[in-house]
Amino acid sequence: MSDSPNTPAAGPAGAAPDDGSARDFGSEPAGRELLPTATPARTRAAVRELVRPRRGLAVAGFATMIAATGVGLLVQPLLGRIVDIVADHRPPGDITLPVVLLVLVALAQGAATALGLSLVSRLGETVLARLRERFVEKALRLPLEQVEKAGAGDLTARVTRDVSVVGEAVREALPELARSVLAIALTLAAMAALDWRFFLAALIAVPVQASTARWYVRNAVPLYARQRIATGSQQQQLLDTIAGAGTVRAFRLEEEHTGRVTRRSSAAVELTLRGVRLVLDFYNRLHIAEYAGLAAVLVTGFLLVRGGSVSIGTATAAALYFHSLFTPVNAALVLLDDAQSATAALARLVGVADQPSPEPEKQAHESRPRTAEAGGTVTVTGIHHAYEPGRPVLHGVDLTLRAGERVALVGPSGAGKTTLAKLIAGVHRPTAGSVRVTTNGAGESGDGVPVALVTQETHVFAGPLADDLRLARADATDDDLRKALTAVDALDWAEALPEGLDTVVGEGGHRLTSAQVQQLALARLVLADPPVAVLDEATAEAGSTGARLLEQAADRAVDGRTALVVAHRLTQAATADRIVVMDGGRIVESGTHDELCAAAGIYASLWEAWSGTRTTADETPTHHRPDTTTVKDH
């Protein structure tokens, strides 16, 4: 069977090595190294960096919010004025002006608040969009070893739940928090303007509120961080169990895996319940602060009115000011719950977004002016690689691919073929040794990558077929797309689609066959025009009926390039310039088809086994005429 990592029983997606290393479903997974989480200081710095280019929008938004809050503070003095008019037994007509002003204040405050909230929301959404772009950009460049050690659940939780939590906070919590904080500050200032003693009375509630906030933050931050980790662990266990369902059933491990899912789910639920209890205690403490502060303001008002220092209306305005603080104070402190949850999620996103790009020294590429000789030279020196410590997959592999040479890589399952292919393509980093790619140019497109990898698993992105092709070269014209499709014998079916190259494919669109999907991948290869191409069983999904067509398309796609082909069919190997045979993580044979057949080694045995499947002598192909027979590399 093939040594691809994507066989059904290979384990969780993205986690299993590709060279016969079976995952032990009967034991608890080894300790995972979760993806990094940013420190609080780094998280704040990242937010400042994202906001800095949009300072104008931030200033406009918060200035409008201040104006809206300031206008709203006129309501209490106007109500106090009405109280004084009534207390002094003045004519009813005197109430007209304060009432009209109340209406104008309400209209002005509503309009300014709506504008301010929209500006703050726009700021938050813009910053969040940039953060998402940075996160996705870095997540796509994370070394696979790092993702595998963390587990797909950790990255999945960050991409889904953490992004959702931060998004909700930006859309709802951030504008409301901004408005609440401004209302608190300006209301306290207004109380001081009425009489400084009202301000002091109101401050009685502050120590209780401040201590409550500190207590909550101190307990909530680590709790929500642990909750995020527990959620990621829960998702990882679900992914492991579902992805390995076939193996779980085969070894009768259903109860054990159900127990693991239950334990991790219980841990996540327990942390959630602890959060609920924390919030209830939080509210209880806030009520004490509210009642203490309101009592202090009312007593102060009573004493000042009795002493003739202020009017009844002024004391009423002060009491109303303090009562109006209940909503913004509670909102601000309650939003600490969302803020702490969003902060924990944000730190996890920033932790990934801050990851450095892979170091270029890990796979050196030397560029030289393009010459008449196409392709590039690949030099593999002393490569060792292991997915897990103590379980090496490759052992001191040395290999040179000469410019323009087509090399087929064959061998039994678990030999290390796919691992070597991915190391050359730069998908993995070798544990030891080096891969050097010396190119004669970056391809006709000018700035393409030196090595391109095409595997048997190709993703079709949702959208027009033309856009899918342009993923390989954004500036490709329609003529370029047609030439690339022609090169891989795909133009006829592409133009026969309902809307031609504008037909929507992928999820929710027109369904492509397996052979068409592989032709699409090969057309992208032609458009990218790399000097070196690596095909890892790129024609394996076609089946016998489409094998010959795909093999011919693959031959044309790599024509003029240095190519390493992990051969799914021995007809591909027979037509190669050179065949490299791997076994046990080492190169054991190398030569042409005729040389290796004459050597009577591993390749000769594979070829003999393949030849034995032919029913008639005239069907037996030479290495000049590949046919459609499917032969696995076992």
Side-chain angles (χ1 to χ4, degrees), residues 180 206 298 354 372 421 546 559 566:
S180 298
V206 173
L298 290 174
D354 275 356
D559 187 37
V566 179

Side-chain angles (χ1 to χ4, degrees), residues 48-71:
R48 288 195 296 271
E49 292 170 6
L50 292 169
V51 172
R52 190 173 296 121
R54 299 160 186 85
R55 287 190 297 266
L57 181 59
V59 170
F62 285 101
T64 305
M65 292 292 292
I66 290 173
T69 304
V71 171

